């Protein structure tokens, strides 16, 4: 093999630019102090391992930003079992899912969903252990390490429960929602299973008093069923979708918030809007409203609309408009070619000091001018709004995030808690390695108020030697400006040294 040496040389060169032992940016998830501790969640990678380890560390009271990491986090230490392991990244680190240990002696393993219970005591996760894209479902008590596998019983025979891998906890941390697949591997049935009794004991399959509740069956073979939870954890969202149409149902997981009760009182799914041909939509929750992203009307991109929770039907969807321009009601995203809407994440900080504070913040991802963009919107409720013209949910401030570089990629980062006063975004460019930056929601324009939480280390790379720039070149027919991104060594092509940048 005359290319064997070259292949090995190239492989080693590529590998030399990758830091194999690494970690993701710690993300905070808080719960009320009387319910238990809050935690920083992150993932660790170790050189030579094919799978990551999922970790967490207890957060200090009133801690908002990640604490400094252990300077020896990438060094080996001996644990209480006399094993050589990586030193903790943060104090009181716990490994709540050790995937390399699970993968030992297995020919194949893929991790599906990983869901921490609302009380942060349990982990629900799914594994594909055969490569058939069918997952087995597991539950683990994090502190004790005790584990259970979900099972089914048919005609007295016990089998391992298999599904598409998705898992969502109820609000009380004692039941799970999951989806099973048909013979064509199409996710189509949504179930709810009670897994712990009133005393917190695991309910074995032999002790189940009733079958799992079948909440929805998608009978149209063109549609797949997907489940998720709103970012504020209030609603279970169930989306049936094909390539050209979608329909969303929901269950209120906290219907009696602030009073006694649980979601068992409202297990019936509620449809937000019946499916229509050529109409796609997805929703998220904001202070009693549904924020609806949709292409209704044959739009080339998604528009942003809203309606009160409980008002079903597409006729109730009204444009979300800006009110900082008093001359006209301008939809913030109207679905045209100029600006695309990809996603919405809603934050309601509990430490908000702004006066008056907005109802909530919306972090929007999309594209504009051919570039990935992130906008931060301040939402308020205007009850004087003519609801025939627009939604009472309005935008009082809309800020597009800007950066020192003008050629970059940006998107939403790892965020686990809507009550924090900042959003973590992911950022990189042709010269800046992937980074995670905390942007204060109440002051997103102040570059000095931003915090770089982590920048990926690239061995041997010196960022200060390089620069990048975005420019345009006119097409040959003289009608179209074509965007071009340039990356260059500062000593070779820099304004003032060797003439202007083209």
């Amino acid at each position: 093999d005359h290319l064997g040496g070259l292949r090995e040389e190239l492989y080693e060169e590529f590998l030399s630019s990758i830091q194999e032992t690494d970690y993701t940016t710690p993300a905070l998830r808080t719960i009320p102090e009387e319910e238990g501790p809050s935690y920083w969640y992150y993932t660790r990678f170790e050189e030579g391992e094919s799978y990551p380890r999922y970790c967490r560390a207890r957060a200090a009271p009133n801690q908002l930003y990640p604490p400094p990491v252990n300077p020896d986090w990438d060094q080996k230490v001996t644990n209480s079992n006399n094993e050589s392991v990586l030193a903790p990244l943060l104090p009181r680190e716990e490994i709540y899912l050790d995937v390399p240990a699970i993968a030992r002696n297995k020919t194949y393993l893929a991790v599906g969903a990983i869901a921490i219970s609302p009380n942060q005591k349990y982990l629900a996760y799914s594994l594909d252990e055969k490569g058939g894209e069918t997952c087995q479902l597991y539950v683990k008590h994090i502190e004790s390490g005790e584990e259970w596998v979900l099972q089914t019983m048919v005609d007295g025979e016990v089998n391992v429960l298999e599904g598409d891998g998705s898992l969502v906890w109820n609000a009380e941390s004692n039941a799970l929602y999951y989806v099973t697949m048909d013979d064509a591997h199409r996710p189509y049935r949504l179930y709810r299973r009670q897994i712990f009794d009133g005393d917190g004991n695991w309910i074995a399959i032999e002790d189940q008093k009733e079958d799992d509740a079948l909440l929805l069956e998608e009978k149209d073979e063109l549609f797949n069923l997907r489940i998720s939870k709103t970012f504020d954890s209030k609603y279970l969202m169930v989306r049936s979708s094909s390539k050209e149409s979608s329909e969303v149902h929901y269950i209120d997981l906290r219907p009696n918030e602030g009073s006694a009760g649980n979601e068992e009182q409202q297990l019936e799914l509620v449809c937000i809007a019946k499916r229509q041909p050529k109409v796609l939509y997805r929703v998220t929750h904001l202070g009693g409203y549904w924020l609806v992203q949709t292409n209704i009307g044959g739009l080339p991109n998604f528009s942003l609309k809203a309606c009160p929770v409980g008002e079903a039907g597409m006729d109730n969807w009204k444009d979300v408009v800006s009110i900082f321009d008093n001359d006209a009601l301008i939809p913030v995203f109207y679905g045209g070619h100029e600006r695309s809407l990809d996603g919405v994440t809603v934050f309601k900080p509990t430490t908000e000091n702004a006066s008056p504070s907005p109802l909530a913040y919306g972090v929007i991802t999309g594209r504009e001018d051919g570039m990935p963009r992130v906008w931060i919107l301040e939402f308020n409720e205007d009850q004087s709004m003519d609801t025939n013209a627009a939604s009472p949910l309005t935008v009082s401030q809309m800020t597009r995030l800007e950066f020192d570089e003008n050629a970059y990629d940006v998107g939403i980062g790892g965020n686990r808690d809507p009550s924090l006063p900042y959003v973590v975004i992911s950022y990189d460019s042709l010269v800046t390695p992937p980074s995670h930056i905390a942007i204060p929601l109440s002051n997103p324009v102040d570059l000095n108020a931003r915090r770089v939480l982590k920048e990926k280390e690239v061995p041997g790379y010196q960022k200060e030697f390089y620069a990048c720039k975005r420019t345009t070149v006119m097409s040959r027919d003289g009608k179209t400006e074509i965007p071009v991104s340039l990356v260059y060594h500062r000593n070779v092509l820099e304004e003032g040294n060797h003439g202007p940048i083209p």
Side-chain angles (χ1 to χ4, degrees):
D1 184 0
H2 66 285
L3 294 178
L6 178 59
R7 274 200 303 269
E8 184 66 23
E9 182 181 346
L10 290 174
Y11 173 76
E12 293 297 333
E13 182 179 339
F14 292 148
L15 203 61
S16 67
S17 298
I18 300 173
Q19 181 174 298
E20 293 186 77
T21 299
D22 205 352
Y23 62 92
T24 60
T25 306
L28 181 63
R29 179 175 168 184
T30 63
I31 60 174
E33 194 170 329
E34 62 273 14
E35 296 181 14
S38 300
Y39 287 92
W40 294 100
Y41 287 86
Y42 50 94
T43 304
R44 300 193 67 175
F45 307 87
E46 185 176 351
E47 183 178 356
E49 298 280 11
S50 299
Y51 299 94
R53 291 181 174 89
Y54 295 87
C55 307
R56 69 179 187 179
R58 187 171 296 193
N62 303 316
Q63 191 174 52
L64 291 178
Y65 291 91
V69 302
N70 175 11
D72 297 321
W73 65 270
D74 57 349
Q75 302 300 309
K76 289 293 188 103
V77 296
T78 302
N79 65 11
S80 57
N81 296 324
N82 205 32
E83 299 168 325
S84 180
V85 297
L86 286 175
L89 182 79
L90 297 178
R92 294 190 287 183
E93 177 178 279
E94 303 173 3
I95 300 175
Y96 63 86
L97 187 62
D98 191 341
V99 185
I102 297 172
R104 293 191 189 112
N105 303 319
K106 293 185 185 295
T107 58
Y108 180 87
L109 183 69
V111 179
I114 295 177
I116 299 291
S117 62
N119 62 13
Q120 306 205 72
K121 295 180 180 179
Y122 297 97
L123 165 71
Y125 66 99
S126 57
L127 299 175
D128 178 3
E129 301 178 53
K130 301 176 183 177
E133 298 184 356
T134 300
C135 290
Q136 298 179 353
L137 313 178
Y138 299 87
V139 174
K140 176 181 179 180
H141 185 256
I142 297 176
E143 184 176 354
S144 69
E146 186 175 4
E147 286 195 275
W148 306 272
V149 60
L150 272 66
Q151 298 174 316
T152 60
M153 180 181 289
V154 179
D155 298 329
E157 184 178 348
V158 176
N159 294 295
V160 175
L161 174 63
E162 294 185 333
D164 75 335
S166 53
L167 291 163
V168 172
W169 286 94
N170 71 336
E172 289 77 25
S173 302
N174 60 15
L176 284 171
Y177 297 89
Y178 66 91
V179 175
T180 61
M181 299 189 289
D182 63 13
D183 293 338
H185 273 223
R186 178 181 66 94
Y188 80 123
R189 282 180 177 170
L190 169 64
Y191 289 92
R192 180 188 186 274
R193 171 176 291 192
Q194 192 79 21
I195 59 173
F196 296 113
D197 63 21
D199 296 323
N201 299 312
W202 175 261
I203 302 175
I205 188 66
E206 299 86 355
D207 300 327
Q208 273 194 318
K209 296 179 179 179
E210 56 186 26
D211 293 336
D212 295 356
L214 175 60
L215 304 180
L216 183 65
E217 180 176 359
E218 178 52 70
K219 297 182 179 180
D220 191 328
E221 294 183 354
L222 295 178
F223 284 73
N224 292 330
L225 205 62
R226 303 293 182 191
I227 61 173
S228 61
K229 190 185 285 189
T230 54
F231 193 41
D232 61 5
S233 298
K234 181 168 174 57
Y235 294 99
L236 169 75
M237 310 305 296
V238 187
R239 189 169 189 253
S240 297
S241 60
S242 67
K243 294 292 185 182
E244 296 183 333
S245 180
S246 59
E247 180 177 280
V248 180
H249 295 75
Y250 69 92
I251 289 177
D252 190 344
L253 298 176
R254 303 197 300 260
N256 299 295
E257 212 159 19
S259 62
N262 57 58
E263 99 279 3
E264 290 182 24
Q265 300 168 353
Q266 194 244 314
L267 276 179
E268 229 177 282
L269 286 160
V270 181
C271 184
I272 293 178
K274 293 292 185 182
R275 66 191 69 173
Q276 291 187 14
K278 306 289 186 180
V279 176
L280 291 165
Y281 74 95
R282 53 180 180 257
V283 298
T284 191
H285 177 244
L286 191 159
Y289 287 88
W290 293 127
L291 275 179
V292 184
Q293 307 157 61
T294 179
N295 68 341
I296 189 171
L299 298 172
N301 286 303
F302 277 12
S303 61
L304 185 62
K305 299 180 182 293
C307 70
V309 171
E311 292 191 5
M314 296 182 184
D315 292 341
N316 291 310
W317 297 351
K318 305 299 180 183
D319 286 326
V320 176
V321 299
S322 64
I323 60 172
F324 44 82
D325 186 340
N326 295 320
D327 296 329
L329 299 177
I330 302 175
V332 290
F333 286 89
Y334 66 92
H337 290 284
E338 296 83 3
R339 181 188 294 166
S340 72
L341 168 61
D342 295 338
V344 181
T345 306
V346 176
F347 289 81
K348 177 58 179 173
T350 56
T351 56
E352 181 63 64
N353 295 318
S355 181
S357 60
L359 176 67
Y361 294 93
V363 180
I364 312 290
T365 56
R367 299 185 74 89
E368 189 174 43
D369 301 327
M371 291 276 291
R373 303 289 187 184
V374 173
W375 295 266
I376 295 180
L377 280 58
E378 294 186 8
F379 285 96
N380 283 288
E381 194 174 27
D382 183 359
Q383 293 293 354
S384 65
M385 180 68 66
D386 179 3
T387 55
N388 292 318
S391 169
L393 188 65
T394 58
V395 174
S396 56
Q397 186 71 36
M398 180 173 178
T399 303
R400 191 179 80 180
L401 297 185
E402 303 292 348
F403 304 90
D404 291 334
E405 299 168 324
N406 60 8
Y408 55 81
D409 188 17
V410 66
I412 195 80
N415 297 273
R416 287 178 174 258
D417 195 324
S419 69
L420 297 180
Y422 61 86
V423 57
V424 177
I425 64 160
S426 59
Y427 176 91
D428 67 274
S429 74
L430 293 169
V431 298
T432 300
S435 308
H436 283 85
I437 306 171
I439 308 288
L441 293 165
S442 61
N443 187 20
V445 297
D446 187 355
L447 299 182
N448 294 323
R450 300 176 181 181
R451 295 194 188 190
V452 178
L453 303 180
K454 186 177 187 295
E455 182 175 286
K456 188 174 182 63
E457 185 175 334
V458 181
Y461 174 65
Q462 294 177 285
K463 176 183 173 181
E464 64 273 14
F465 289 173
Y466 301 91
C468 65
K469 184 177 179 67
R470 188 173 188 260
T471 185
T472 58
V473 176
M474 182 62 68
S475 62
R476 291 175 181 172
D477 60 9
K479 297 180 179 179
T480 306
E481 292 277 355
I482 301 172
V484 176
S485 295
L486 303 174
V487 60
Y488 53 91
H489 196 289
R490 293 184 183 274
N491 290 341
V492 175
L493 189 64
E494 181 75 297
E495 288 188 273
N497 292 337
H498 299 282
I501 299 172

